[in-house]
Amino acid sequence: MSLRKAYLLIFLVLIVDQLSKIYVKTNFVLGDEVEVFDWFRIHFIENEGMAWGTKIPGEYGKLILTVFRIFAVFGIGYWLADSVKKRYSNYLIVAIALIFAGAAGNIIDSVFYGVIFDASDSNLATLFSPEPYGTWFHGLVVDMFYFPIWRGTLPAWFPLWGGEEVSFFNAIFNVADVAISTGVGILLVFNKRAFPKTA
């Protein structure tokens, strides 16, 4: 795969990711939910950008996370260019491009959203608001895809969570997260094709 095609894939993922986030941000108040199917909802949340809302504690935790991600994306970008140059497997190149696009998509939220949107907790957010909710590098990542495939009470004998009300699958994510997960999935499932042994 050429670098040009890899860039096109990255661009398409970023466009879909950002359009979906901007749509949700400007049409949903934080916590709003639309049921598409019983097992699939659009549920608007924001987080600091780590899986399941995990955060780095402290005053500079968010800044540290954002800066780390920016450096990681530069590393992934180098890996992509080097893989194309060395004519590595298309499986590897597509996977790297998807991971790059997903990481870049969430970085856009973290770097810019705090200064171009106002808060979403009580009103619909305004794009390019004169009263933004945050500062540079402190934006919140927009998530919206929710698949509560099963909800119920676990049997009492079940280890650790016996008798508790649970929901599966309870993660809420975005297009960028899907791209990252797909890229990692390609590397795991097609490992032998992504990293062929050289004689």
Side-chain angles (χ1 to χ4, degrees):
M1 175 182 274
S2 68
L3 196 55
R4 188 175 183 178
K5 289 181 179 176
Y7 285 156
L8 178 60
L9 175 59
I10 291 167
F11 177 75
L12 291 174
V13 171
L14 285 174
I15 288 294
V16 174
D17 177 61
Q18 289 303 308
L19 287 178
S20 63
K21 288 173 176 175
I22 291 169
Y23 176 81
V24 167
K25 186 94 171 127
T26 56
N27 288 275
F28 288 67
V29 174
L30 199 63
D32 278 356
E33 180 176 282
V34 172
E35 183 175 313
V36 181
F37 302 107
D38 184 50
W39 47 269
F40 170 46
R41 296 150 191 217
I42 303 297
H43 183 94
F44 175 32
I45 66 167
E46 293 178 309
N47 67 61
E48 294 201 0
M50 292 177 70
W52 283 276
T54 308
K55 59 178 74 175
I56 298 175
E59 183 181 352
Y60 299 104
K62 174 63 177 175
L63 180 61
I64 291 168
L65 174 62
T66 303
V67 171
F68 169 78
R69 282 182 155 168
I70 291 170
F71 279 108
V73 162
F74 276 108
I76 297 167
Y78 175 80
W79 184 23
L80 175 61
D82 187 59
S83 297
V84 170
K85 182 180 178 181
K86 293 177 178 175
R87 299 183 182 277
Y88 286 164
S89 163
N90 285 343
Y91 287 90
L92 178 62
I93 293 168
V94 168
I96 298 170
L98 288 171
I99 294 168
F100 180 95
N106 285 335
I107 285 173
I108 290 170
D109 297 29
S110 296
V111 173
F112 299 107
Y113 277 25
V115 294
I116 64 173
F117 285 108
D118 50 10
S120 299
D121 48 4
S122 57
N123 299 294
L124 295 178
T126 306
L127 184 60
F128 303 118
S129 170
E131 297 180 3
Y133 72 81
T135 57
W136 292 97
F137 295 90
H138 289 85
L140 300 173
V141 175
V142 174
D143 290 325
M144 75 287 289
F145 299 130
Y146 179 35
F147 290 85
I149 295 169
W150 180 82
R151 290 180 180 179
T153 304
L154 291 175
W157 53 263
F158 197 88
L160 299 177
W161 301 285
E164 291 185 16
E165 191 82 23
V166 296
S167 174
F168 179 85
F169 174 73
N170 67 347
I172 302 174
F173 52 94
N174 57 44
V175 172
D177 299 329
V178 172
I180 293 170
S181 299
T182 303
V184 171
I186 290 170
L187 294 180
L188 293 175
V189 175
F190 301 102
N191 185 271
K192 290 181 179 178
R193 294 184 182 182
F195 301 100
K197 292 182 179 179
T198 53

